[in-house]
Each structure stands twice: as C-alpha cells, then as structure tokens.
Amino acid sequence: MKAAILLLPGDGIGPEVVAAAASILRVVASRYRHQFDLREAPIGGAALRLGLAPLPDETLTAAQNADAVLLGAVGDPEFDRGDSSRRPESALLAIRRELKLYANLRPARVWPGLEASGPLKPDILAGTDMLVVRELTGGLYYGEPRGIAEDGTSAYNTMRYYRHEIERIGRRAFDAARVRKKRVTSVDKANVLETSRLWREVVTALASEFADVALDHMYVDSCAMKVALAPSSFDVILTENMFGDILSDEAGAVVGSLGLLPSASLGDGPGLFEPVHGSAPDIAGKDVANPIGAIGSAAMLLRYALRLETEARAVEQAIEKALLGGARTADLADPAHPRIGTREMAMAIESALLALPPTPVN
Ligand code: NAD
C-alpha cells in the first residue's frame, strides 16, 4: 500500500514522541512492504516561532491532502500570555474543526505487567481493554441557543442531537467492535433526557445492520461506576460528547500513566491520531518522555486510517513484548526495572516488532 502520512510534531515532547512513532511506521513499511510517505509540517508554538499562524494554511492543506495525520502535542509556556488566537493550542481546535472530525476514539487498556501501576487493585484491572467512542461535534458543547441571561441570574445550554449524527458515530462504534470483542455498550441518560431517548432508538435500530455485534445500553451514572469497579467488563463504549469527555478521562485514569494513552479522531476525510498527553514542557528535550501513547496512536492510524489491522496488532504486540521484557520509561519506573529513555523505549519496541513473525498476528 502507498500512503501519505503527515507528521505534526508540535511542541515540548511532541517532536520526541513523534520521532519514535515515525521510526515504528518506517519499520512497519519495510517489514510489510508498504510505501509510507512521511512528511513533517509545523503546528502550534513551532509554527509561531517561524512567524506563521498556529495552524499555517500550508499545514492545513497538507493535512487535508494526506491519508492520515499523526500529531505530537502543542503548547508552549513562551506563548501563554499572547492573545488567544496566537496560542499554540488554538491550532488543535482549528485542525479538528477543519478536518470535520466527529468521532473520537480513546482506547484504555492495561498492558500486561503494568496492572499494579494504576490506582485500582491489580486483579480488578487485569484484562482491561476498552475503547471509548465519543461523539465530538454535537450535543451540549455546540448546541444553540446558549448564553448567560442579561441580568446575570441564569445561564443556559442546549443539548440537541440529530438522527444522522447519532447514526454516523454509531456506525464507527459497531465497526470498531467488529475487530475487537464484538460488544457495544451504548451509554445515555434515557431515563431523564429526550436526546438520550432518541440516541437509544437510533442505536438500537442500527444494531440490526451489525448482527455479529452484541449491543447493550447503560445509564451514564452506572457506567461511570462500572468503569471504576469492573473495567475489564467493557469492550466498546459508545456515547455522546459530554458523557464521552468524562468517561474517556476516567477510563484513561484507571489504566495508569498519561504517557500510555493513544487516541484517534475520525471524520469522513483524513483522521487525526495523537497521544492524549500534552506537550509536557517540564520534561521536554530530556529524552525521558514515554513514547507509547504516540506509538499506540500510530497503531490506531494503521487500523482506522489505512485499514491495516495485522500491522496495527503487530505494533501493539511489540509494545506488549517490550513492556513484558522490562522496558520502563521514568513515568512507569518501578524498583525492579532500570529506567530507560524515549529513544531506548522506541528501540525496544522496534526490536520486538522485528522479532515478530511477518505473517498475520492474532
Ligand atoms: P501534559 O499532559 O503535558 O503533562 C501532565 C503531566 O504528565 C506532566 O507532569 C508531564 O511531565 C507528564 N507527562 C505527559 N506526557 C508524558 C509522557 N509521554 N511521558 C511521561 N510523562 C508525561 O499536561 P499539562 O502539563 O497540563 O500541559 C502542558 C502543555 O500541553 C500546555 O501548554 C497544554 O495546553 C498543552 N496540552 C496539549 C494537548 C494536546 O496537544 N493534545 C493536550 C493537553 C495539554
């Protein structure tokens, strides 16, 4: 396969973790005989430093023309005091809006050997591997009308969902479940909200197109409890914007370090793949950042943008092997293992990838 992948390293630890993820993509390309054209463009503080906008037009055009975009992180204390349109972070909202990304996918899995590094008891966490599929462009965060009453005594927001918005995010969740454990839990508050009742009706109707995937429904409050009490009971969680915002952070927190978490944002054009963490200026340039969130995002890019499931699984299996072999960056360090840097972690994952059989991995 030939694919154009745009790399947007950005700020802080962004360039270090994107370099690590790019090295893994190069290994995948040579091992599985693909041609990945990896190009870089500036974004965030890195673009501002060149005298450009946080999201330069050339960067946006390159993203629109790519098959997929891999972003590091944006945010630089140097620009914290500028006006808000010149803040590095404004590039993130702009690129998500311009690429019309309506689906946010956040996996939360516990890697073997790291069961004790999360806040839950290891036996509760063991086997956790869920994917939160969050609607990203509708609901309470965007609904109109919204505002604060003139006399300041009240404020209001509007939660509105259209059938087509629910249907398209629902399809993403069912599709994702097909290459996982084939279970979707649709999360709503249908006992209270009309939008949730429509949500439930549309998702239930959609399920008939995906007979191989099991569907159940759960209220958001029970779901929040169950994510903390029995995280391993979930496969795919499908939910609207605000519930997903909260549940995806909760799911990420139960599995441990921020440096481990990948994400994908999908629309009908090129998708955007990025680790969940920010630019971490406190550790930037020191070769200590954990690159697994970025490398996991590259695996998601292979799976969801390029439909290369075998290659995506191979990368995830290589991460697992490296961790089982004792590779630990500072954020994961425990007394039993020496700390290694960003580059060394990437090399450990690369070696594990090269040691896998080149045939399909299950
Ligand atoms: P952060 O995620 O950058 O860092 C939070 C803490 O986690 C820090 O102590 C950091 O050292 C640690 N950390 C983060 N990623 C790590 C990794 N890969 N390995 C090891 N440790 C890691 O969040 P913050 O400190 O609140 O924000 C810093 C900057 O990043 C701000 O400018 C913020 O606006 C920006 N930000 C950007 C994004 C993004 O680009 N998607 C997301 C969040 C924050």
Side-chain angles (χ1 to χ4, degrees):
M1 155 179 295
K2 284 189 182 174
I5 300 171
L6 183 68
L7 306 175
L8 303 178
D11 304 318
I13 60 171
E16 296 165 71
V17 299
V18 165
S23 72
I24 299 295
L25 286 172
R26 286 192 190 95
V27 173
V28 169
S30 75
R31 191 134 180 84
Y32 294 86
R33 298 173 187 277
H34 300 302
Q35 278 180 36
F36 295 160
D37 176 14
L38 304 179
R39 302 222 174 139
E40 276 192 23
I43 194 168
L48 285 165
R49 243 185 231 104
L50 296 170
L52 302 167
L55 176 62
D57 290 343
E58 300 74 26
T59 299
L60 177 59
T61 306
Q64 286 164 331
N65 292 332
D67 293 301
V69 181
L70 183 69
L71 175 88
V74 293
D76 183 329
E78 190 187 322
F79 298 105
D80 273 355
R81 272 165 288 125
D83 75 271
S84 62
S85 67
R86 306 283 299 167
R87 295 278 295 265
E89 291 86 345
S90 66
L92 266 187
L93 299 179
I95 195 167
R96 288 177 187 154
R97 185 183 60 238
E98 294 297 330
L99 295 180
K100 300 186 174 61
L101 305 171
Y102 59 80
N104 183 238
L105 277 60
R106 290 249 310 249
R109 72 186 278 183
V110 61
W111 296 98
L114 296 187
E115 291 85 350
S117 65
L120 300 181
K121 292 193 186 94
D123 58 324
I124 289 184
L125 203 52
T128 295
D129 181 3
M130 68 181 121
L131 174 71
V132 180
V133 177
R134 165 190 171 194
E135 202 288 326
L136 205 54
T137 53
L140 205 53
Y141 292 179
Y142 292 93
E144 295 286 349
R146 60 190 296 158
I148 299 178
E150 262 176 34
D151 65 2
T153 58
S154 66
Y156 52 97
N157 292 90
T158 300
M159 190 170 195
R160 178 187 290 268
Y161 266 107
Y162 292 91
R163 281 180 184 275
H164 77 272
E165 292 176 312
I166 305 171
E167 247 174 53
R168 68 182 181 181
I169 188 76
R171 277 183 207 289
R172 291 285 186 184
F174 281 107
D175 265 344
R178 277 192 160 155
V179 289
R180 296 174 50 92
K181 286 173 271 171
K182 297 187 168 49
R183 275 195 301 116
V184 170
T185 302
S186 176
V187 174
D188 60 38
K189 189 72 183 166
N191 48 345
V192 179
L193 300 174
E194 284 78 6
T195 42
S196 282
R197 289 201 271 277
L198 180 68
W199 183 278
R200 201 174 268 224
E201 180 195 319
V202 173
V203 172
T204 304
L206 196 58
S208 62
E209 290 177 34
F210 297 87
D212 53 330
V213 178
L215 169 69
D216 66 333
H217 301 273
M218 199 177 275
Y219 295 138
V220 62
D221 41 350
S222 335
C223 181
M225 253 201 290
K226 208 165 169 191
V227 165
L229 294 175
S232 64
S233 65
F234 291 102
D235 181 19
V236 174
I237 292 178
L238 160 65
T239 193
E240 63 88 47
N241 202 343
M242 184 176 63
F243 298 160
D245 189 7
I246 298 165
L247 289 175
S248 58
D249 267 17
E250 187 194 4
V254 304
V255 296
S257 169
L258 190 55
L260 293 169
L261 301 173
S263 81
S265 298
L266 309 174
D268 295 325
L272 179 69
F273 300 83
E274 53 179 324
V276 168
H277 62 73
S279 58
D282 52 332
I283 56 167
K286 297 180 180 159
D287 191 41
V288 295
N290 188 341
I292 291 179
I295 294 172
S297 303
M300 294 187 85
L301 183 157
L302 294 166
R303 170 173 295 122
Y304 295 109
L306 308 184
R307 304 264 163 205
L308 298 174
E309 180 61 26
T310 298
E311 289 80 343
R313 281 189 195 206
V315 172
E316 288 164 351
Q317 212 176 37
I319 296 173
E320 190 173 317
K321 286 207 165 172
L323 289 170
L324 281 173
R328 298 283 188 276
T329 40
D331 56 318
L332 308 175
D334 61 63
H337 301 99
R339 290 177 181 199
I340 60 171
T342 311
R343 280 195 293 265
E344 212 178 322
M345 176 61 97
M347 271 153 46
I349 296 169
E350 249 178 74
S351 317
L353 186 56
L354 287 167
L356 288 173
T359 46
V361 186
N362 289 308

